[in-house]
């Protein structure tokens, strides 16, 4: 035990060759604090520099007392000479004891608005990077699983297809039917002023083939499915189940993300087709009951006046929307912290992000197909 005891008595003595310099020696540690206080109290105030290179041992308490002596003598930090290893500790103790900087001024309202915008942009940029990283890892795991049938997890895929697709059919078809009726009513109201009520058929057909069929389905699944994915994975993370999965040597992306993503990729196009048919039925119902257009005439005009490209334009967007909804829902679940409040916050965030991104991508796709004259 004697190897770590402080055996060298601390000392303070003026330099014989330079009387305005104080020589510091010995052990300056917590165990010598009583003796050090006595030495500091008797230090000569005419001292201009302090040489502590003869100090053998130094700890945080000794550094604090050494700085207190410098302050008592009214000397700046540059007047202290110490060993390099001791100087690092002295600087750390000096910085630790420094007062906290004053809070910056609140600034003008314009300054606060710009600051908020800057924070939002930085946060959006970071979220984009995280999303792209998650997308890359998911696609890599998806490519690996395609060539390894043992990792397809068919049971999990079928289960999520039922939860995502089959259970959502009534809601999707009902809302699409009602929206189709509303579009037909609005079209009839506007076109009746020009005596072109018959064109309501083309209006409903183009609207649901190209936009409303896939967009309504994606928005409904963004609110219904993305939130469910986030809540499920977030609850597993808060319960430390994800850590258990990694401990067993399993990949959470392969186990939790890919089955949900594959289920969405398979079911969203089917739901889009059903939503399109339901919307057309809603429009046809209004045409039959309000505009005296028979079902045969309605179907005949759809076949004669509309090209199949409108249908395929809408269906081509379904896999993209499925990827977006599945990735955001699962990613927000992985971001959840270990508390219930975080689960609710990220569930809300997944719904908002999914719906916003679906609408943004739909607008970009509309401009893209318009430029291609499709």
């Amino acid at each position: 035990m004697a190897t770590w005891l402080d055996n060298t008595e601390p000392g303070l003595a003026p330099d014989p060759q330079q009387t305005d310099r104080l020589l510091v020696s010995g052990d300056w540690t917590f165990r010598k604090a009583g003796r050090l206080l006595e030495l500091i109290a008797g230090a000569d105030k005419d001292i201009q520099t302090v040489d502590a290179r003869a100090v053998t041992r130094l700890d945080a308490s000794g550094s604090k007392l050494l700085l207190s002596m410098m302050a008592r003598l009214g000397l700046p930090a540059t007047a202290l000479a110490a060993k390099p290893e001791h100087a690092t500790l002295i600087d750390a103790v000096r910085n630790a004891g420094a007062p906290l900087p004053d809070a910056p001024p609140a600034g003008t309202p314009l300054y606060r608005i710009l600051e908020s915008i800057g924070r939002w942009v930085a946060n959006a940029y970071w979220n984009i990077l995280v999303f792209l990283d998650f997308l890359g890892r998911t696609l890599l795991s998806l490519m690996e699983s395609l060539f390894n049938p043992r990792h397809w997890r068919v049971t999990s895929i079928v289960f999520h297809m039922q939860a995502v697709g089959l259970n959502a059919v009534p809601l999707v078809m009902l809302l699409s039917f009602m929206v189709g009726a509303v579009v037909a009513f609005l079209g009839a109201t506007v076109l009746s002023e020009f005596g072109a009520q018959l064109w309501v058929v083309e209006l409903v057909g183009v609207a649901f083939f190209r936009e409303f069929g896939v967009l309504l389905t994606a928005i409904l699944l963004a609110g219904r499915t993305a939130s469910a994915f986030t809540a499920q994975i977030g609850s597993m993370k808060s319960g430390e189940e994800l850590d258990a999965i990694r401990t067993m040597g399993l990949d959470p992306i392969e186990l939790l993300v890919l089955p949900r993503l594959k289920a969405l990729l398979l079911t969203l196009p089917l739901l889009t087709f059903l939503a399109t048919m339901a919307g057309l039925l809603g429009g046809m119902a209004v045409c039959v009951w309000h505009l005296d257009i028979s079902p045969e005439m309605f179907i005949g005009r759809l076949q004669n006046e509309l090209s199949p490209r409108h249908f395929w334009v809408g269906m081509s967007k379904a896999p993209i929307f499925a990827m977006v909804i599945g990735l955001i829902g699962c990613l927000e679940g992985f971001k959840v912290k270990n508390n219930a409040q975080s689960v609710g916050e990220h569930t809300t965030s997944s719904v908002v992000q999914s719906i916003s991104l679906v609408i943004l991508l739909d607008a970009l796709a509309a401009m893209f197909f318009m430029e291609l004259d499709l």
Side-chain angles (χ1 to χ4, degrees):
M1 299 295 292
T3 56
W4 58 270
L5 291 176
D6 301 329
N7 298 319
T8 305
E9 286 296 321
L12 286 179
D15 190 345
Q17 300 178 355
Q18 191 173 349
T19 57
D20 61 348
R21 184 170 65 173
L22 186 65
L23 299 179
V24 183
S25 61
D27 294 339
W28 282 61
T29 61
F30 176 76
R31 293 178 176 273
K32 306 292 185 180
R35 176 58 180 161
L36 292 174
L37 290 173
E38 296 177 0
L39 293 175
I40 293 173
D44 189 354
K45 294 186 177 181
D46 294 333
I47 296 298
Q48 299 298 320
T49 58
V50 176
D51 187 353
R53 287 174 292 185
V55 172
T56 53
R57 294 181 57 123
L58 183 69
D59 63 7
S61 299
S63 300
K64 183 66 176 178
L65 291 173
L66 193 59
L67 292 172
S68 299
M69 183 186 68
M70 296 290 293
R72 180 177 178 275
L73 297 176
L75 300 178
T78 55
L80 175 64
K83 295 178 181 178
E85 59 271 21
H86 292 168
T88 303
L89 177 59
I90 292 170
D91 291 338
V93 172
R94 181 189 297 112
N95 295 332
L100 294 176
D102 296 333
T108 63
L110 177 61
Y111 174 85
R112 292 194 295 269
I113 293 173
L114 294 176
E115 181 184 12
S116 300
I117 294 174
R119 291 181 184 276
W120 183 87
V121 171
N123 187 50
Y125 174 73
W126 172 252
N127 286 333
I128 290 173
L129 293 181
V130 173
F131 177 80
L132 293 177
D133 173 72
F134 186 71
L135 172 63
R137 290 189 287 129
T138 302
L139 291 178
L140 180 61
S141 182
L142 179 62
M143 292 298 104
E144 293 175 352
S145 68
L146 290 179
F147 299 100
N148 194 345
R150 292 181 302 172
H151 295 173
W152 285 359
R153 305 189 183 278
V154 178
T155 303
S156 180
I157 294 175
V158 173
F159 170 79
H160 288 296
M161 286 180 66
Q162 178 183 358
V164 171
L166 186 60
N167 294 344
V169 168
L171 179 63
V172 169
M173 294 192 67
L174 175 61
L175 293 182
S176 298
F177 181 88
M178 300 303 295
V179 172
V182 170
V183 171
F185 268 121
L186 292 176
T189 302
V190 174
L191 295 175
S192 62
E193 298 180 2
F194 306 97
Q197 294 164 324
L198 195 60
W199 291 94
V200 172
V201 178
E202 285 80 354
L203 174 63
V204 174
V206 171
F208 272 88
F209 280 144
R210 296 182 68 100
E211 299 294 337
F212 283 162
V214 64
L215 186 60
L216 285 175
T217 304
I219 291 175
L220 287 173
L221 290 187
R224 183 180 183 275
T225 304
S227 59
F229 288 174
T230 302
Q232 292 165 3
I233 297 177
S235 298
M236 295 179 67
K237 184 175 181 181
S238 62
E240 299 183 355
E241 295 179 49
L242 295 183
D243 296 333
I245 291 173
R246 295 188 180 96
T247 302
M248 291 187 292
L250 300 175
D251 184 8
I253 293 181
E254 178 185 327
L255 189 66
L256 302 176
V257 178
L258 291 187
R260 290 171 168 83
L261 190 60
K262 292 175 182 177
L264 267 177
L265 287 171
L266 292 172
T267 56
L268 200 146
L270 298 176
L271 287 174
T272 298
F273 175 79
L274 294 176
T276 302
M277 295 300 104
L280 294 177
L281 285 176
M284 185 173 65
V286 172
C287 290
V288 171
W289 294 332
H290 185 66
L291 303 178
D292 297 327
I293 299 176
S294 65
E296 294 79 8
M297 183 181 298
F298 186 93
I299 296 174
R301 287 193 66 86
L302 284 179
Q303 293 177 340
N304 297 329
E305 301 298 332
L306 295 183
S307 171
R309 63 185 173 86
H310 297 298
F311 173 78
W312 293 114
V313 165
M315 293 297 295
S316 66
K317 294 183 282 188
I320 300 175
F321 292 167
M323 286 286 294
V324 169
I325 295 169
L327 289 173
I328 291 179
C330 295
L331 176 59
E332 289 299 314
F334 283 110
K335 290 181 180 179
V336 169
K337 300 178 182 178
N338 295 330
N339 56 74
Q341 180 181 357
S342 180
V343 175
E345 291 175 351
H346 285 282
T347 300
T348 303
S349 177
S350 69
V351 174
V352 173
Q353 290 185 44
S354 300
I355 294 177
S356 302
L357 198 52
V358 162
I359 295 175
L360 175 62
L361 291 176
D362 185 71
L364 294 176
M367 292 187 292
F368 174 76
F369 289 122
M370 182 180 65
E371 292 295 329
L372 294 180
D373 196 21
L374 292 177

